[in-house]
Amino acid sequence: MMAPIILGILILCNVIMAFVSALAAKPHNYVIIENTFPADKINDPQVLHFSKSYRKRQFQLALILSLLDLILLLPMKDSSFMLLFFLLLYLTIGANYFIMLRYIRKGHQLIIDNKWQLPTQPIQIDTKLVLNKNRKLVSPWWFLLTLGLNLLFSFLLYRQELGSLIWILLVTNLGVWLTLLVTWWVIRRLPVRSLTDDRKINQQYNDLTKFYWSSLSVFLSVILSVLIYIPLLTTTISPNYFTFLMVVEFALIFFFCGSTIWWLFRLRQKQDQLLTQSTTVRYSGDDYYWRYGIYYNPDDRRLMIPDRIGMNISVNLGRVGGKIFMGLLPIILVLAMLVAVVPLYVLDYHPNPLTYELKNETLLLDGPFIKEKKIPLNQIEDVALVDHLPTRSVRTSGLATNNYATGYFRMDGKSSVLFIDHSSKPILKLVTKKRDYFYTNKQPMETKKLYQEIQAEK
């Protein structure tokens, strides 16, 4: 079941990246694929052909990568599957970036060949615009709505006696909430620039940007809180509502992705409509500072800046903070792959990855993705060998693949800890007052042996 879901995620990533990248070929602030063209040349046949070619290449790339992703449907071990997933994901990012670089150079050469270079104008400072730069900024008090939702959901789940999981979830949500509040603060701090000689248009352009970006940060804080809590709610309700809540969860995810893209695209369209009303668009030589799709300007005090597509916020690599961010990004990507792949490699190739030991009237269970569990034998209320896990389960932390399940789960509404190799049967089930434990050894005879030893000790 995991392979089709992961495949769907990769294909969706390919389509979204193709769509968003293709937007760079449509003029925004008279910029087409990182190059600023004269306003009267936007509809020139050469420019139109250049833009169409770039969009075509992006969707061709998405199709090729999606076909390549089908390799994930082949039977393979979990570690190989996850490694291949990361490599395909990084290939998507790298191939997309390569095409962008190629067409940035093509666009620059097109401007040179036709002598379309724009004269650089000094940056114009409008003090009135600076004073009114946050006139349409959404109030930060809206973030109290999200804070209230977090506390309400936590209270409802606390009554279900979920223990420390509630505090972990609350801290996670508060971290997301704080991150988006900081994002709102960054948007508030974004300086304004006079893009035209028309003060009214400049003010409207700034108001649009601040309103759309700040309202998006508030919206994200609300929707992400709901998305994080719904899976846990499914463990505390009647099984009749489990499927319904799962459908709601996936519907909200699609709504979240679609509405975010639509909202930013709507902002981009309105900004372009404003600029077309002015005949005096100012060019301050920004192309010089955008190199290889990255902004580098040591003289610009801004750390966060709007990207050239108008759909995101980028960093200024000329600042120390920008260098740190860009340096950490590849490290995070590599670490994410190692954290996901290495434990799976242990599960796949270690002769005995899920271990047990009976010592001093205590059962010790250990395995990847979870720390060792010590279970006093006198706390075990029941022990049994079963053929199947409970059907209604949600992972709260740990690993869950087609072949393995290790970590903390909610099974039929009760906290459970799993050390499971799905290819091995039977499953040892241990019942204690606080939680249940499920264990399998790679060798079924070892699982049966452990069951008999516990029965003998009780």
Side-chain angles (χ1 to χ4, degrees), residues 54-69:
Y54 179 72
R55 291 196 297 271
K56 181 179 178 180
R57 291 289 179 271
Q58 286 293 342
F59 286 101
Q60 285 176 338
L61 175 65
L63 176 60
I64 292 171
L65 290 172
S66 296
L67 293 175
L68 185 61
D69 292 340

Side-chain angles (χ1 to χ4, degrees), residues 2 6 77-87 90 332-348 368-369 398-401 404 406:
M2 185 177 72
I6 295 295
K77 292 184 179 293
D78 282 348
S79 56
S80 300
F81 178 89
M82 193 56 64
L83 177 62
L84 189 57
F85 163 73
F86 276 101
L87 292 178
Y90 297 161
I332 292 173
L333 292 176
V334 172
L335 285 178
M337 181 173 66
L338 292 177
V339 168
V341 173
V342 171
L344 284 173
Y345 184 87
V346 173
L347 284 168
D348 282 335
F369 280 106
L399 166 74
T401 70
Y404 306 104
T406 63

Side-chain angles (χ1 to χ4, degrees), residues 319-385:
R319 297 287 302 276
V320 174
K323 290 184 176 69
I324 293 175
F325 176 82
M326 292 301 293
L328 288 176
L329 189 58
I331 295 175
I332 292 173
L333 292 176
V334 172
L335 285 178
M337 181 173 66
L338 292 177
V339 168
V341 173
V342 171
L344 284 173
Y345 184 87
V346 173
L347 284 168
D348 282 335
Y349 296 103
H350 195 282
N352 190 25
L354 302 173
T355 63
Y356 74 88
E357 182 182 2
L358 281 172
K359 183 178 180 181
N360 300 328
E361 300 296 319
T362 301
L363 172 62
L364 307 178
L365 299 178
D366 198 8
F369 280 106
I370 185 171
K371 68 179 182 179
E372 182 183 66
K373 294 298 172 186
K374 299 179 180 180
I375 312 168
L377 294 181
N378 59 12
Q379 292 184 10
I380 298 177
E381 299 177 351
D382 188 27
V383 56
L385 291 175

Side-chain angles (χ1 to χ4, degrees), residues 170-181:
L170 179 60
V171 170
T172 301
N173 271 282
L174 289 178
V176 172
W177 177 81
L178 183 61
T179 299
L180 289 167
L181 183 59

Side-chain angles (χ1 to χ4, degrees), residues 28 61 137 150 254 325 333 408 412:
H28 176 63
L61 175 65
L137 190 74
N150 286 332
F254 283 111
F325 176 82
L333 292 176
Y408 294 88
D412 285 342

